[in-house]
Amino acid sequence: MTVGEPILNAFRFQRDVAPTSPLYGRLLGAVVDDAMRGGVCADVLEHTPPDVEPVLDALPLRLMGGVHRLVLDGDAPELAAYYPSVGGRFDPDEPASDPTEAFLATIATYRDAMIASLSRAVQTNEVGRCASLLPGFLEVASTTGLPLRVLEVGTSAGLNLRWDHYRYEGGADSTAFGDPQSSLRFAGVYDDPLPRLDASAVVVERRGCDRSPIDAGSAEGSQLLRSFVWADQVERFAALDAALAIAKSSPVEIDRADAHAWVDDQLRDRREGRATVIFHSIVWQYLAPETRAGIKDSIHAAGARASSRAPIAWLRMEPGTDPAAGAEVRLTMWPGGAERIVARTGYHGRPVRLCK
């Protein structure tokens, strides 16, 4: 059994960019070593669907999500002992604390489930990215003086569509935004120069689209989302659980639709008296080139029709010019089409550094 270099390189890349997850760094390395030996990982990865591009379609995270799902469901108790998401413990500096054997044994035991996981697209719903997007939303609200209509591309379960239901602290002069009683609180996220978070922003309409929407209120949907969070990043895990709890009492409209057709349809008619914000985060790379081009054309066409009473904004958090350095939060506003980089941030939404 042999595994092609594109697949091995995808796992090597993911291993090397996971310094904040010692557990996943160790396990991704174990996948590479085992696959090169022709072990069970080689057997599983040989069944990668031909239409899955190893890097762009996040093949390593598909496999890791499949394993994590087994742990969360209680089907891999020996491996669970190393997974902090279920109360386990992993110390990379302790030779005795090595999950590799249990990890490979789990993959072997659940070989068919692991192969099936390679066909399941990653949907992280990383709510930490809301903290990165927030300065953009506040800028649109303060600049236009209008309530917001927010439209998210690639919304998955719509957790980031509910960004205004969360609490953000640590702004300039101790300013904060959001409900002080919210169960999801972001603190210590913003680096100097600190943003002012005391602007008013009211969402009067929200909607999203996704090719495969997830029902955040269902047990299956919430467990699927939890499986894609890296198991030793307990803050991310806690934030997701808090967002899932909020989602149960805050329904949103999510359409199963092609992204370009949906954006074009949503922007066809102007909404007087509100600022329309099209936004997305770590989605652009997963769209086909023709879809990206179509969305961009639709947004620019809507921008050409915008007015001061019906402005359009395009807010996005996507990899920057140097992807290894993190993501950029860009904002384009019409009328006028002025564009600027609002902030630079990590891929999970922290730290956030404003760009003046």
Side-chain angles (χ1 to χ4, degrees):
M1 292 177 289
T2 58
V3 177
E5 281 300 308
I7 290 178
L8 290 175
N9 286 338
F11 278 85
R12 292 185 183 110
F13 173 79
Q14 194 69 62
R15 174 198 63 195
D16 294 342
V17 299
T20 58
S21 177
L23 174 64
Y24 276 31
R26 175 72 62 83
L27 297 180
L28 288 162
V31 172
V32 173
D33 293 342
D34 183 73
M36 291 182 67
R37 292 193 300 266
V40 64
C41 291
D43 176 34
V44 169
L45 293 174
E46 278 191 333
H47 292 83
T48 299
D51 60 340
V52 171
E53 203 289 322
V55 173
L56 294 181
D57 292 324
L59 180 65
L61 299 186
R62 294 184 180 204
L63 179 66
M64 299 303 290
V67 175
H68 195 191
R69 178 62 185 266
L70 293 172
V71 171
L72 293 172
D73 287 345
D75 293 330
E78 291 188 5
L79 183 58
Y82 303 96
Y83 272 55
S85 58
V86 291
R89 180 177 177 273
F90 169 66
D91 186 341
D93 297 322
E94 288 186 13
S97 178
D98 188 352
T100 301
E101 183 177 349
F103 176 71
L104 295 178
T106 298
I107 292 176
T109 300
Y110 292 96
R111 171 186 176 274
D112 291 346
M114 295 300 94
I115 291 173
S117 74
L118 304 182
S119 299
R120 188 177 298 119
V122 174
Q123 298 203 44
T124 57
N125 265 235
E126 180 51 64
V127 292
R129 293 169 185 156
C130 292
S132 301
L133 294 165
L134 179 66
F137 286 122
L138 295 184
E139 182 169 333
V140 175
S142 61
T143 299
T144 65
L146 296 171
L148 303 181
R149 174 194 183 210
V150 293
L151 305 170
E152 186 180 18
V153 177
T155 197
S156 188
L159 300 184
N160 291 355
L161 262 177
R162 300 168 170 95
W163 59 270
D164 55 320
H165 290 264
Y166 312 144
R167 176 72 170 176
Y168 308 83
E169 300 175 339
D173 299 325
S174 299
T175 53
F177 176 86
D179 180 3
Q181 304 304 315
S182 176
S183 59
L184 178 49
R185 184 181 304 265
F186 296 102
V189 172
Y190 299 103
D191 282 354
D192 287 327
L194 298 176
R196 292 203 66 86
L197 301 179
D198 52 355
S200 175
V202 178
V203 177
V204 293
E205 184 180 350
R206 72 186 84 221
R207 199 177 190 99
C209 81
D210 199 276
R211 288 179 298 180
S212 302
I214 294 176
D215 180 2
S218 71
E220 170 61 27
S222 62
Q223 196 77 318
L224 178 61
L225 293 173
R226 297 172 86 234
S227 73
F228 286 124
V229 177
W230 296 0
D232 54 346
Q233 295 184 337
V234 291
E235 285 190 12
R236 290 180 63 209
F237 213 77
L240 174 60
D241 281 346
L244 287 169
I246 291 170
K248 291 180 180 180
S249 59
S250 305
V252 298
E253 292 286 339
I254 303 175
D255 300 313
R256 184 183 298 272
D258 170 77
H260 174 213
W262 184 83
V263 168
D264 193 62
D265 182 62
Q266 294 296 316
L267 297 181
R268 185 170 293 118
D269 298 324
R270 296 199 311 179
R271 292 287 205 279
E272 294 288 334
R274 59 191 60 183
T276 295
V277 185
I278 286 278
F279 78 100
H280 50 84
S281 56
I282 315 300
V283 166
W284 207 241
Q285 70 195 67
Y286 299 115
L287 301 176
E290 59 271 20
T291 301
R292 294 197 296 265
I295 291 173
K296 187 173 182 180
D297 288 345
S298 294
I299 293 175
H300 280 263
R305 300 189 298 268
S307 69
S308 60
R309 290 296 300 162
I312 297 289
W314 183 16
L315 178 65
R316 60 272 197 203
M317 173 192 161
E318 298 292 349
T321 52
D322 178 9
E328 295 175 346
V329 180
R330 288 181 176 267
L331 176 64
T332 311
M333 294 181 64
W334 291 271
E339 178 177 315
R340 74 180 190 89
I341 300 176
V342 175
R344 290 185 170 86
T345 184
Y347 286 115
H348 295 147
R350 66 172 60 200
V352 181
R353 302 180 184 90
L354 287 192
C355 298
K356 293 295 187 179

